[in-house]
Amino acid sequence: MPLKNLKWIYLIILSVVWGSSFILIKKALIGLTAMQVGSFRIIFAALFLILVGFKSISRLSLRQWKWIILSGFLGSFFPVYLFAYAETEIDSAIASILNATTPLLTLIFGALFFRAVFSQNKITGVVVGLLGTAGLILSGASINPDQNYMYSLLVIMAAACYAMNVNILKTRMSDISPLGIAAGNFSVLLIPALILLYSTGFFELPIYSSELELSIIYVAILGIIGTGVAMIIFNKLVQISDPVFTTSVTYTIPVVALGWGIMDGEVFSFWQLVSALVILIGVFIVNRSKDIISRYRKQAT
């Protein structure tokens, strides 16, 4: 299949899988703490990826491992915990919309650290997107006074981690197989996640309720499908497209997440929806220009 068609298929799959991840986090938090949700998500993903990608891990060179470790913490470890803690205070759909700032931050970091082109068109898109982000946080805080919208900053921090990671994947790790990257990432993260899970006292719980068991099922789906399988697809998408196209998955993630949120009884104001639209318009403006693609391709060759 031509790469032009394949990248759109990957984008659609990721949209559905990651768009559903936010509601899974919310459901998992019913019986688990944020630290436990993050740890279990990494553990399930790691066990799956090590099992299917053991041979790919063994082929990694010492030079490649330094980027694998950095990518693992930026692209998976920190965001997993940041999203879990954020959703203890804000709605799942709001978290997904704020995650749409990833392409904007990808561009900013690309310009600052990876010599990517930063045109006037892109500056406009970034400004528009960030104004929408501020509007979403402020309007959400007014309509949901019982929610602490300072936790929205955790989502922005997670998006920043994603943005830095996708630039590293494109400019430093294009010679590593997608499975090798994902399996290597999570083989590094398994031990820290187990240590953090142990520190929560989870293994000392005397009673395992049905609520707890259901939460573990949710986080298992989140870890294996929403993290393990999705990371392989994402890494492949990075290699066959440019970073800004790759992070455009955040266009459609909020649509899926918003649908799940409405089905779960989450309420949105008119101004929240307007702010979400402004964010997506900003991302659209950023993605209109093609000059960033040629610059990344020159760096990769």
Side-chain angles (χ1 to χ4, degrees), residues 155-225:
V155 179
I156 303 300
M157 290 170 62
C161 288
Y162 285 147
M164 182 61 78
N165 181 55
V166 76
N167 277 294
I168 291 172
L169 285 171
K170 187 62 180 180
T171 61
R172 300 290 186 269
M173 303 172 68
S174 58
D175 59 330
I176 309 175
S177 72
L179 180 56
I181 294 172
N185 286 161
F186 282 89
S187 66
V188 171
L189 303 181
L190 179 59
I191 298 302
L194 284 169
I195 292 173
L196 288 177
L197 180 62
Y198 179 79
S199 71
T200 66
F202 175 81
F203 298 104
E204 299 173 4
L205 294 177
I207 300 175
Y208 287 84
S209 64
S210 59
E211 187 178 79
L212 177 60
E213 291 174 359
L214 192 58
S215 291
I216 292 176
I217 291 173
Y218 284 131
V219 81
I221 297 171
L222 182 64
I224 295 171
I225 305 298

Side-chain angles (χ1 to χ4, degrees), residues 221-299:
I221 297 171
L222 182 64
I224 295 171
I225 305 298
T227 305
V229 175
M231 284 304 298
I232 297 173
I233 297 173
F234 177 75
N235 292 337
K236 179 63 177 176
L237 181 59
V238 170
Q239 293 182 342
I240 66 174
S241 66
D242 65 276
V244 178
F245 176 88
T246 302
T247 53
S248 293
V249 67
T250 49
Y251 278 132
T252 44
I253 284 176
V255 177
V256 177
L258 191 64
W260 281 116
I262 292 173
M263 290 173 61
D264 198 52
E266 295 180 4
V267 179
F268 307 94
S269 71
F270 171 76
W271 288 113
Q272 282 179 301
L273 295 177
V274 169
S275 299
L277 181 61
V278 170
I279 293 173
L280 296 182
I281 290 172
V283 177
F284 174 75
I285 294 172
V286 163
N287 277 293
R288 285 185 64 189
S289 295
K290 300 299 182 182
D291 53 335
I292 191 172
I293 298 175
S294 60
R295 177 60 67 91
Y296 275 111
R297 284 177 177 169
K298 287 178 182 178
Q299 285 184 257

